[in-house]
Amino acid sequence: AQTVTQSQPEMSVQEAETVTLSCTYDTSESNYYLFWYKQPPSRQMILVIRQEAYKQQNATENRFSVNFQKAAKSFSLKISDSQLGDTAMYFCAFKGSGGSNYKLTFGKGTLLTVNP
Amino acid sequence: EPEVTQTPSHQVTQMGQEVILRCVPISNHLYFYWYRQILGQKVEFLVSFYNNEISEKSEIFDDQFSVERPDGSNFTLKIRSTKLEDSAMYFCAYKGLSGQYFGPGTRLTVT
């Protein structure tokens, strides 16, 4: 079974600075997908970014980018130019690509606070 | 904006009662999922649904749970006899271009 570990329960950053959230995972599959979701106080789950394991290039979405290290099974999220609206829980998630791998497996989350 | 809505936004029920949570797609989607999130904990997969059939379910999704799409539009999650530990946010999600997109959730409180 796949597991996803987020070792930082809480982090804080000053507005306009850069912060990196860590995620590691365990799987025996060679192809899979990794995601970061944001959950603001409204509790809506918002898809931030996706990475396919077969792609060597790290995904980027505006101020959000990932550092995907397949051999180390590491998938960190970098937020540049942090904004107050980035304050939220951030969840790392894994999805297999074969067979009946429909489900997302989530980590426990990291609570990010952006301070003015 | 999510392409599914969920009703109700908040449901309070007594232990042992049946509840039905609804997910209403705005656009045509084929794959749907239900997840739950107990307060302060991680999001957990319950069930996936494709072409009017369950395609995968977790160990949480026991006989107390059922899903259906009765009218080809609304996608429902039924809990037959609620327990205190069923109190959680319940999210419907659909498969989109980049991954799974979540609805706004239903907060279920069992008293």
Side-chain angles (χ1 to χ4, degrees):
Chain A
Q2 290 83 10
T3 58
V4 178
T5 302
Q6 293 179 250
S7 58
Q8 305 153 315
E10 294 186 36
M11 291 192 72
S12 63
V13 64
Q14 291 299 120
E15 197 175 5
E17 293 188 348
T18 296
V19 64
T20 299
L21 309 183
S22 301
C23 173
T24 58
Y25 58 93
D26 189 24
T27 183
S28 57
E29 297 185 45
S30 58
N31 197 22
Y32 45 87
Y33 299 88
L34 296 162
F35 305 86
W36 279 98
Y37 282 84
K38 170 184 177 181
Q39 187 178 42
S42 66
R43 300 195 71 180
Q44 171 81 49
M45 291 288 288
I46 301 166
L47 176 59
V48 174
I49 200 164
R50 174 179 99 159
Q51 175 77 43
E52 294 93 332
Y54 63 85
K55 287 188 178 178
Q56 292 187 337
Q57 186 172 9
N58 289 322
T60 298
E61 289 286 343
N62 301 314
R63 297 183 295 107
F64 298 87
S65 61
V66 299
N67 183 5
F68 172 51
Q69 301 289 328
K70 190 172 184 179
K73 296 181 180 173
S74 168
F75 181 61
S76 60
L77 175 70
K78 185 171 84 170
I79 306 174
S80 304
D81 186 26
S82 298
Q83 300 175 359
L84 296 178
D86 295 333
T87 292
M89 279 290 288
Y90 286 82
F91 292 96
C92 177
F94 172 100
K95 179 184 167 306
S97 66
S100 61
N101 288 313
Y102 299 96
K103 66 180 182 183
L104 290 172
T105 299
F106 286 87
K108 291 186 176 181
T110 296
L111 177 61
L112 176 67
T113 302
V114 180
N115 299 308
Chain B
E1 289 297 318
E3 293 188 13
V4 292
T5 60
Q6 290 187 242
T7 59
S9 56
H10 186 198
Q11 170 105 38
V12 181
T13 189
Q14 289 190 327
M15 193 168 52
Q17 296 296 305
E18 174 184 284
V19 294
I20 297 176
L21 311 182
R22 290 185 172 80
C23 175
V24 183
I26 297 173
S27 303
N28 288 329
H29 298 293
L30 296 177
Y31 291 87
F32 291 93
Y33 314 84
W34 282 101
Y35 291 84
R36 79 172 186 190
Q37 183 184 31
I38 295 171
L39 185 64
Q41 297 188 23
K42 66 179 179 180
V43 179
E44 299 174 292
F45 170 76
L46 291 176
V47 66
S48 59
F49 194 77
Y50 169 69
N51 200 25
N52 292 324
E53 289 186 357
I54 290 175
S55 44
E56 188 176 5
K57 60 183 181 179
S58 72
E59 61 275 10
I60 302 170
F61 195 86
D62 60 20
D63 291 343
Q64 291 298 313
F65 291 89
S66 63
V67 290
E68 63 178 4
R69 202 172 185 190
D71 55 7
S73 177
N74 293 351
F75 177 47
T76 63
L77 174 69
K78 181 191 292 185
I79 309 175
R80 291 191 181 83
S81 178
T82 50
K83 308 182 186 70
L84 294 176
E85 54 265 35
D86 293 328
S87 294
M89 281 289 286
Y90 287 82
F91 292 102
C92 167
Y94 66 92
K95 182 181 176 184
L97 280 177
S98 295
Q100 293 181 23
Y101 295 88
F102 285 66
T106 292
R107 183 155 68 103
L108 176 65
T109 302
V110 182
T111 61

